[in-house]
Amino acid sequence: MRVGARSTRAGAADVLNALPPVVVGLVVAALSFLGLGAAPDSPEWGAVLADSLAYVERAPWTIIAPATGLVLLALVVALVRVTRTSS
């Protein structure tokens, strides 16, 4: 916690400090989903999600699993960053 700052203000500052890597990761995944990312054969979260759209009616877990992984990864990165900056 920051010295002299109110707890809510310090908490908000910590959360805002955690956002940049999460936003970058989500933007990279979004660009890959749109086909604007790395090479098509590279395993990226967005590319995996885009490929699984063709099978979503027959096998919905093909899109649920990578989407859940992406969300969990973003949350873990944010939590690790918040805990490292607040100590």
Side-chain angles (χ1 to χ4, degrees):
M1 183 166 300
R2 292 183 168 72
V3 176
R6 291 179 45 198
S7 62
T8 55
R9 189 174 188 186
D14 287 340
V15 169
L16 289 176
N17 284 335
L19 285 180
V22 173
V23 170
V24 168
L26 293 176
V27 166
V28 168
L31 288 174
S32 177
F33 179 79
L34 295 173
L36 302 173
D41 58 342
S42 65
E44 291 189 2
W45 290 106
V48 171
L49 287 171
D51 292 342
S52 64
L53 283 178
Y55 307 105
V56 73
E57 288 182 13
R58 291 180 293 178
W61 60 87
T62 59
I63 199 165
I64 292 171
T68 304
L70 180 61
V71 168
L72 288 176
L73 179 66
L75 286 174
V76 167
V77 167
L79 288 175
V80 167
R81 179 123 177 178
V82 164
T83 56
R84 291 186 73 194
T85 58
S86 65
S87 57

